[in-house]
Amino acid sequence: MTQTDTRVGSAAAGPAPGPARPFWTSRRRDQLAGYLFIAPQMLGSIVFVILPLILVLWYSLHEWNVLAGTFDFVGTDNYKALADDPNLGEVLRATGLFSVGLVVLNLGLALLLAVLLNQKLRGTIVFRTLFFSPVVVSLVAWTIVWGFLLQDNGGINGLLDTIGVDGPNWLRGEGTAMVSVIVVQVFKNVGLNMVLFLAALQGVPGELYEAAEVDGASRMRQFWRITVPLISPTILLTSIITVVGSLQVFAQISVLTQGGPGASTTVLVYYLYQQAFQFHHFGYGATLSIVLFAIVLALTVLQWQMRKRWVFHES
């Protein structure tokens, strides 16, 4: 081989390899930092959300007798028992009645209070604090106090007696027990939605109202054409929170009515508790948990899909 051939062969072999690229590049360090930041949240979601859901689904396929110490696989028998449960229809009816009443009263009252407190009036800070304070009060303590007030000889009937009205036994009447529980829950949480609505109202540009007044729009027309569309994202948020919360109510029912009178206030969560922890039907209780999860998921997805129709700026 000539000298020329040697040079050609060296050129064909290509340049000598450079130094190896380090593994811990700045991009990978940034990715690791991001994963470390979300690791606690992901770990909590796995341990307290995903894993319990898997276990509940597994338990619903078994019949677990704690007293006898047996854990038998029954397949879909617990799900078939749902169709034969004579109490399930009344429980779902009570759950729907409670949820509808709570959502309508809570959102309506919260929006009304927010509109009133958004006015430039003296003393609004005091009233804002007054309405929000029940939110930070212990739920059980709040419910116990209302339990005493709503008794036959309690404070509510005492006030009615001063004006000559004979009040009923609110928590033991078929027609008043559910209304009483709904009102107690509304007063407990209306302050949270009120603050959210108030923050949304204060973000509406005042120029829009001034332009509407120039065009001759009434206050009511301004509310429906300007206020409601611009705070519709907050309405969506509060509606989802309130609907999900209404389907998970337990402490109020347990303290105030224990599901009575009869089963008129036995909502799904309390019925689940009865089946699992009072009657020791843990498999059937787990099945009811799956039903509750499916209802909450379906309503949340439905509300989220409906945002394209009535939430401003959504397409």
Side-chain angles (χ1 to χ4, degrees):
M1 181 182 293
T2 63
Q3 185 176 3
T4 303
D5 295 335
T6 303
R7 288 196 300 269
V8 171
S10 300
R21 185 179 180 183
F23 179 79
W24 286 111
T25 61
S26 59
R27 180 179 180 181
R28 286 177 175 171
R29 285 196 298 269
D30 291 341
Q31 290 177 342
L32 178 61
Y35 290 138
L36 291 176
F37 274 116
I38 67 174
Q41 176 67 28
M42 292 299 297
L43 182 62
S45 298
I46 293 173
V47 173
F48 297 107
V49 178
I50 298 177
L51 183 59
L53 285 175
I54 296 174
L55 290 176
V56 166
L57 180 61
W58 176 250
Y59 291 150
S60 70
L61 302 176
H62 294 76
E63 184 54 47
W64 184 8
N65 191 324
V66 179
L67 300 178
T70 58
F71 189 71
D72 301 322
F73 181 79
V74 295
T76 59
D77 288 353
N78 287 322
Y79 292 91
K80 294 177 182 178
L82 289 172
D84 300 327
D85 191 341
N87 300 318
L88 186 60
E90 189 172 1
V91 169
L92 293 178
R93 184 192 67 83
T95 304
L97 180 61
F98 179 85
S99 297
V100 171
L102 179 64
V103 171
V104 172
L105 288 179
N106 193 315
L107 295 184
L109 183 59
L111 184 56
L112 176 62
L113 292 174
V115 171
L116 293 176
L117 293 176
N118 195 41
Q119 308 300 316
K120 305 301 181 182
L121 302 175
R122 297 178 60 183
T124 55
I125 297 178
V126 176
F127 285 101
R128 191 183 309 174
T129 305
L130 181 64
F131 285 115
F132 186 77
S133 57
V135 177
V136 298
V137 175
S138 169
L139 176 60
V140 175
W142 172 267
T143 308
I144 291 175
V145 170
W146 273 98
F148 285 113
L149 292 175
L150 292 170
Q151 288 179 357
D152 190 19
N153 57 349
I156 301 298
N157 284 345
L159 291 176
L160 294 176
D161 188 58
T162 60
I163 58 176
V165 177
D166 186 15
N169 191 344
W170 298 95
L171 300 177
R172 295 296 178 263
E174 289 274 347
T176 58
M178 179 62 76
V179 175
S180 301
V181 175
I182 291 174
V183 170
V184 170
Q185 182 67 7
V186 167
F187 285 162
K188 176 69 173 68
N189 291 328
V190 70
L192 177 60
N193 288 340
M194 179 198 70
V195 170
L196 294 175
F197 282 137
L198 186 59
L201 289 172
Q202 292 177 348
V204 178
E207 296 82 1
L208 297 178
Y209 295 112
E210 295 175 0
E213 289 180 0
V214 172
D215 292 337
S218 63
R219 287 293 184 90
M220 186 60 66
R221 191 171 183 84
Q222 292 177 31
F223 177 77
W224 288 110
R225 294 295 185 178
I226 299 176
T227 305
V228 172
L230 291 181
I231 68 171
S232 55
T234 304
I235 296 177
L236 174 66
L237 171 65
T238 54
S239 64
I240 292 177
I241 294 174
T242 308
V243 168
V244 173
S246 69
L247 292 171
Q248 297 177 345
V249 63
F250 171 77
Q252 297 87 332
I253 301 295
S254 179
V255 174
L256 292 176
T257 65
Q258 294 81 46
S264 60
T265 60
T266 303
V267 295
L268 188 56
V269 174
Y270 191 76
Y271 188 60
L272 183 161
Y273 162 78
Q274 286 181 322
Q275 292 294 324
F277 298 101
Q278 291 185 354
F279 307 145
H280 302 290
H281 299 157
F282 288 99
Y284 190 61
T287 306
L288 292 172
S289 299
I290 298 296
V291 173
L292 176 62
F293 174 76
I295 294 174
V296 172
L297 180 62
L299 290 177
T300 303
V301 172
L302 177 62
Q303 288 177 288
W304 186 251
Q305 292 299 322
M306 288 178 60
R307 80 191 193 280
K308 298 179 180 180
R309 292 180 174 270
W310 58 276
V311 175
F312 191 62
H313 285 324
E314 289 284 349
S315 59

